[in-house]
Amino acid sequence: MKYLYLLLFLFVFPLHADDIGSQFQQQAQAGDPHAQYLLADTYYSSGNEQKAHYWAEKAAENGNADAIALLAQMSLKKDITAAKTLAEQASLAGSKIGDIILARVLVNNEAGTPDFPRAIQLLENAAKNIESDAAVDAQMLLGLIYANGGPLPEDDVKAAWYFKRSSTLSRTGYAEYWAGMMFLQGEKGFITPNKQKALQWLNLSCMEGFDTGCEEFDRLSNK
């Protein structure tokens, strides 16, 4: 997802804790909601959820719709009902990131009866603007929905098409790697762990040239 690049940057150019988000600090403290959101997003990407939540709340209070979506994302594993409420708010406020989080909630039976048609519609709309990070994530999730099957017919051809489009916008082979890891780990209410599917998508990631996909494929194959 969009956090891949930041994580790669941090790996190559490690930052001290005080450096993270420093380019947004002054404006955020002055009350700029966009800077507050960017600071929250940077903290979340670097693993500091406490500071991310603080600044996301500040930005949300100041009317930033993407900050509401970030709060929804942070709620996903803790309280999916709260995540759904926040994602609905973000989506209504015009956040494409909110649309993606809402779609992810709508396909999870932990949040109630799944609504796949609405989820797919939200993701297809978010995928239209290929200049945005939202398009990368929307196509990844569309691919995962079709790869998973369940209520919908499993369609690996359509899944591979969406993954490839997503990877083309981010990094070749990354979407396929993400799918493999999702099938390896599972997601309660949505993805049942499936080693064969994990191997299938990790292998494709490796064939696309994503080294981490090759490493995970080899590790899983040898278990």
Side-chain angles (χ1 to χ4, degrees):
M1 299 178 113
K2 69 177 180 176
Y3 305 122
L4 173 66
Y5 294 114
L6 179 61
L7 294 175
L8 287 173
F9 179 83
L10 292 177
F11 178 77
V12 178
F13 304 105
L15 297 177
H16 296 293
D18 291 341
D19 294 329
I20 295 173
S22 57
Q23 68 271 41
F24 309 122
Q25 283 280 358
Q26 187 173 352
Q27 287 178 291
Q29 289 169 350
D32 183 328
H34 185 59
Q36 290 170 341
Y37 163 68
L38 292 174
L39 183 56
D41 194 36
T42 303
Y43 275 127
Y44 184 66
S45 300
S46 65
N48 190 332
E49 194 163 322
Q50 184 177 359
K51 286 189 176 181
H53 196 277
Y54 173 83
W55 285 108
E57 282 195 327
K58 289 283 187 185
E61 288 168 3
N62 288 323
N64 187 287
D66 287 340
I68 303 172
L70 182 56
L71 289 169
Q73 185 171 356
M74 286 189 277
S75 296
L76 273 175
K77 292 182 179 179
K78 302 171 185 176
D79 186 344
I80 199 165
T81 302
K84 184 176 183 179
T85 300
L86 288 165
E88 289 275 15
Q89 291 173 6
S91 179
L92 284 171
S95 169
K96 290 300 179 186
I97 301 170
D99 287 345
I100 294 165
I101 302 301
L102 179 56
R104 191 157 183 171
V105 173
L106 289 172
V107 297
N108 192 308
N109 60 35
E110 292 285 302
T113 303
D115 188 345
F116 279 84
R118 186 184 176 201
I120 289 172
Q121 183 180 35
L122 286 167
L123 293 171
E124 287 177 344
N125 286 336
K128 289 177 181 177
N129 181 7
I130 61 172
E131 300 298 322
S132 71
D133 291 324
V136 176
D137 293 349
Q139 290 178 108
M140 285 173 65
L141 186 51
L142 280 165
L144 189 63
I145 288 171
Y146 286 112
N148 187 48
L152 298 178
E154 187 177 328
D155 190 335
D156 284 349
V157 173
K158 189 174 283 190
W161 185 79
Y162 277 116
F163 288 144
K164 192 169 186 68
R165 279 172 60 90
S166 178
S167 290
T168 299
L169 295 173
S170 56
R171 177 166 176 171
T172 303
Y174 179 70
E176 295 84 352
Y177 163 76
W178 178 77
M181 297 306 293
M182 287 294 292
F183 280 116
L184 180 61
Q185 298 165 6
E187 182 172 296
K188 189 177 180 182
F190 177 32
I191 302 291
T192 301
N194 186 315
K195 183 178 178 179
Q196 288 308 117
K197 286 187 177 182
L199 284 167
Q200 173 188 341
W201 295 109
L202 289 170
N203 183 48
L204 185 55
S205 172
C206 182
M207 291 171 64
E208 291 285 334
F210 192 62
D211 291 344
T212 309
C214 296
E215 293 167 6
E216 285 296 333
F217 178 77
D218 290 342
R219 185 184 65 80
L220 191 57
S221 298
N222 294 326
K223 275 191 173 182

